[in-house]
Amino acid sequence: MYKIKIVSISIIVLLALVFGLIYMQATTNTVQNFPTLNYASEPVPDFNQYERVQEKKRAFFDYLKPAIAAQNEYIATVRSLIFDFQALHLTDQELSAAQQEELDWLITEYRVKNIDEPVAVYTELLRKVDVIPADLVLAQTANESAWGTSRFARKGYNFFGIWCFEEGCGFVPKQRNDGAAHEVAKFDDLNEGMYSYMRNLNSHPAYKDLRLIRLELTEDDKEVTGHALAEGLIKYSERGEEYIEELRQMIKVNKTFMATDTSS
């Protein structure tokens, strides 16, 4: 009698675990499973504490590298999912309700046009949802945040010079022209800031050239580098070509510090 009860309870527990796993798999939303690094919500380090320039650079890059890697890993995962959706379409299979929901979210998030043409949708998504070279991210963040010392970086995790256009969405720049309404965006943590920055490069019309350069390099089986993609940031700054050359020089000069292993 007791053995029967024990077996019955074991079966019930096993079934609960199985159905629980199935439920979790069915409800997992990959595209909105954003990276959440624990340290990202902690106060931004005081990079002015370092007297030696080399120590300051090393600390700055080491602070940002995990967030960059996490975001690129997320992007690679989403990109793989898009390929899966595309494969289903090419074999005349329909997306599940959950898959369609994810696709619709990506279409909106990445400003995809021609939404009634599936082939065009997948082509545009695959052109946009792709990783950003870490050296480019590190150069831009150093440039835009004065090596992490700007008040926008320290108080709002905005290392990227990103603007927003709703009153109260961020910081009012001290040098803002009369009549201008933009603010410098404020983020809850580094996770949110890094996500917004990479999505901006991957979706905003101003950086279409960057995405085209990346696509051409990929199709030619060439390395996608920060030096190459910098050419597509002509509209990121009013300084234009001067800005591009500055980023490239920063990448060249700081190559050692930008490497994954900076212990040497």
Side-chain angles (χ1 to χ4, degrees), residues 174-191:
K174 294 178 180 178
Q175 305 299 325
R176 189 173 68 177
N177 295 332
D178 293 340
H182 72 274
E183 298 182 11
V184 179
K186 182 177 182 180
F187 301 109
D188 291 336
D189 57 26
L190 182 59
N191 293 318

Side-chain angles (χ1 to χ4, degrees), residues 222-233:
K222 295 181 179 179
E223 184 182 4
V224 178
T225 65
H227 183 277
L229 295 197
E231 185 66 32
L233 294 174

Side-chain angles (χ1 to χ4, degrees), residues 36-50:
T36 53
L37 301 177
N38 293 332
Y39 86 95
S41 60
E42 296 175 359
V44 174
D46 177 13
F47 296 108
N48 279 326
Q49 68 179 296
Y50 299 98

Side-chain angles (χ1 to χ4, degrees), residues 7 11 51 62 114 118 137 197 206 222 235 246 254:
V7 171
I11 293 174
E51 296 182 359
D62 286 352
N114 302 318
V137 181
Y197 160 76
K222 295 181 179 179
K235 296 182 179 179
E246 191 171 316
N254 296 286

Side-chain angles (χ1 to χ4, degrees), residues 4 75 97 104 117 123 195 215 223 235 262:
I4 295 175
I75 291 172
D104 291 342
E117 298 290 336
T123 298
Y195 173 82
L215 176 64
E223 184 182 4
K235 296 182 179 179
T262 60

Side-chain angles (χ1 to χ4, degrees), residues 3-23:
K3 289 183 179 180
I4 295 175
K5 286 185 178 181
I6 292 173
V7 171
S8 299
I9 292 172
S10 298
I11 293 174
I12 292 172
V13 171
L14 180 61
L15 289 173
L17 287 171
V18 170
F19 283 108
L21 287 172
I22 293 173
Y23 175 78

